Amino acid sequence: MSSIRTIGFIGYGAMASLMGRNLIQAGHDVVAYTPSGRSNGAEADVPMLASPRLVAEKSDAIILCVPNDEAENRTLHGEDGLLAGLRHSQLVLDTSTVSPEQADHLAALLKERGVAVLDTPMSGSTPEAEKGALIMLVGGPEDTVERARPILDCIGRITIHAGPAGSAARLKLVVNGIMGGTLNIIAEGIAYGLASGVERDVLFDALQELAVISPHHKRKIGMGQERNFPSQFPTRLMSKDMGLLLEAGRRCGVPMHGMAAASQNLAFSSRHHADDDYSALIAQMEQNIANR
């Protein structure tokens, strides 16, 4: 094992708690902070500390896993914030899906303090997190990537070094945009098939056989067929990520008409299925045609 013994989490929800379990199995000690003092709605199986500052003070490396820019900034500042407890040369990995501007801001902020930081958003949902099979997207200096590799190898099956700081945050929006955009196309196709009279199970079973549909989306189609949407990736977070992508595309002058349509449908689905898996968009489309 590396010299990194204790790993502290800021945010310890569904994904982070599974990553933490794999790190513990690899011999690391894990501590965590959440505003509620709880993990994923339940009592945590690791020590829950009272502030981000305490997590920084008691850890060799810190993993951020929070839902958005605002949540991340709330954990950073103030006398009990993460910045108040960080030490020179400490290591911070930000696995959150945040805006490119937030990733750039965090990198600059920690560089000023002599703290090593990587943006390390992951591709994968809870099944991959449980198996330690996430794809880790990493932005930052090569030497910092190598320093973090023992952690990355515990929680992911592959690490993709996307480039300098902020690169992985940008790549993650591409990945999630393709996921959300493709799911929207599938949901629209299913809605047409059902409205036109194709028998429901025939339709869903046929889609499971097609090579053009990814294994990830076949899993989502299966949820749609069963009308059961365990929250592997909540709709509210996918909707948030689509919004981040559209704003980032606007800043770059890139038209994203298809992504915009998907974003609108996912935003509507989030009103009814915020904490369900984002594949609940299939159910929302099915409900829409049933009401006509």
Side-chain angles (χ1 to χ4, degrees), residues 9-277:
F9 279 83
I10 305 298
Y12 207 63
M15 294 292 286
S17 59
L18 294 171
M19 290 190 285
R21 188 180 305 167
N22 288 324
L23 289 164
I24 290 168
Q25 290 174 353
H28 293 281
D29 296 325
V30 170
V31 298
Y33 163 81
T34 64
S36 67
R38 299 165 72 86
S39 165
N40 198 26
E43 294 298 334
D45 55 0
V46 303
M48 299 299 289
L49 304 185
S51 70
R53 178 176 182 165
L54 285 175
V55 171
E57 291 174 347
K58 294 181 179 296
S59 303
D60 301 310
I62 297 98
I63 295 177
L64 296 169
C65 193
V66 296
N68 51 44
D69 294 18
E70 293 76 18
E72 185 163 288
N73 285 323
R74 283 196 300 271
T75 69
L76 291 174
H77 302 289
E79 64 179 271
D80 289 323
L82 186 68
L83 296 177
L86 286 175
R87 304 183 298 277
H88 190 273
S89 296
Q90 216 163 0
L91 177 64
V92 174
L93 308 181
D94 189 3
T95 65
S96 315
T97 301
V98 294
S99 69
E101 293 74 26
Q102 178 68 17
D104 294 344
H105 171 67
L106 182 66
L109 201 60
L110 297 193
K111 183 178 181 181
E112 290 175 359
R113 290 162 170 76
V115 175
V117 60
L118 298 170
D119 45 301
T120 57
M122 57 275 191
S123 179
S125 298
T126 50
E128 290 77 23
E130 185 172 16
K131 294 182 290 187
L134 296 164
I135 297 174
M136 305 306 298
L137 312 175
V138 181
E142 180 66 42
D143 58 344
T144 307
V145 176
E146 290 309 309
R147 181 181 168 192
R149 195 168 291 280
I151 298 174
L152 298 170
D153 287 349
C154 282
I155 59 181
R157 68 174 179 83
I158 188 171
T159 294
I160 298 173
H161 188 191
S167 299
R170 290 163 168 85
L171 179 56
K172 179 61 185 297
L173 294 186
V174 174
V175 172
N176 281 17
I178 291 171
M179 286 168 54
T182 302
L183 193 278
N184 182 65
I185 291 296
I186 290 169
E188 288 182 353
I190 288 172
Y192 162 71
L194 295 173
S196 69
V198 178
E199 199 277 323
R200 191 175 188 276
D201 283 337
V202 169
L203 175 59
F204 280 94
D205 289 345
L207 293 176
Q208 291 288 357
E209 300 300 325
L210 300 180
V212 296
I213 297 178
S214 72
H216 171 85
H217 285 102
K218 287 181 180 180
R219 191 163 73 203
K220 303 307 179 186
I221 290 168
M223 291 181 182
Q225 185 170 11
E226 296 299 322
R227 297 189 175 99
N228 183 32
F229 305 99
S231 193
Q232 296 176 356
F233 187 177
T235 304
R236 58 184 169 80
L237 294 183
M238 176 57 89
S239 180
K240 178 264 298 183
D241 293 351
M242 296 299 289
L244 290 177
L245 175 60
L246 289 177
E247 174 59 19
R250 185 192 66 78
R251 289 175 180 269
C252 293
V254 177
M256 293 185 167
H257 306 299
M259 296 293 191
S263 180
Q264 290 294 309
N265 283 333
L266 284 159
F268 181 73
S269 183
S270 188
R271 288 177 59 89
H272 305 279
H273 302 282
D275 293 317
D276 293 331
D277 189 81

